Amino acid sequence: MLFIFGLRTAVHRLGALPLRCPSCGNTAAQVLSERVTRFSLFFVPLFRVRTRYGMQCAFCGASYDVSREEANRLAAR
């Protein structure tokens, strides 16, 4: 019997906010995104394994992780 399983990560853009970048110090658009990793069996996603949130500076390209609470607060803006 053959089982095909694996992990797949999808990135969802939650919005762009004009904030100060902690890396370059410029005020530019910071793109807020959610990365969801799901376990799949026979190419059918079954359940979430991990959810992570991050921001990326549109000026310098630096990316950094944010907590779920911080992402929810920023997405409500």
Side-chain angles (χ1 to χ4, degrees), residues 42-60:
F42 293 109
F43 305 105
V44 177
L46 295 177
F47 56 89
R48 287 183 179 200
V49 175
R50 178 176 28 180
T51 302
R52 300 178 82 179
Y53 298 93
M55 296 195 69
Q56 183 176 14
C57 179
F59 186 78
C60 68

Side-chain angles (χ1 to χ4, degrees), residues 3-42:
F3 289 104
I4 301 173
F5 64 93
L7 299 174
R8 178 175 292 172
T9 301
V11 178
H12 305 283
R13 182 177 169 175
L14 300 177
L17 303 159
L19 299 172
R20 186 175 184 92
C21 176
S23 180
C24 66
N26 290 318
T27 301
Q30 305 292 319
V31 179
L32 178 63
S33 61
E34 174 187 46
R35 296 184 303 270
V36 178
T37 303
R38 295 181 185 260
F39 176 80
S40 61
L41 182 65
F42 293 109

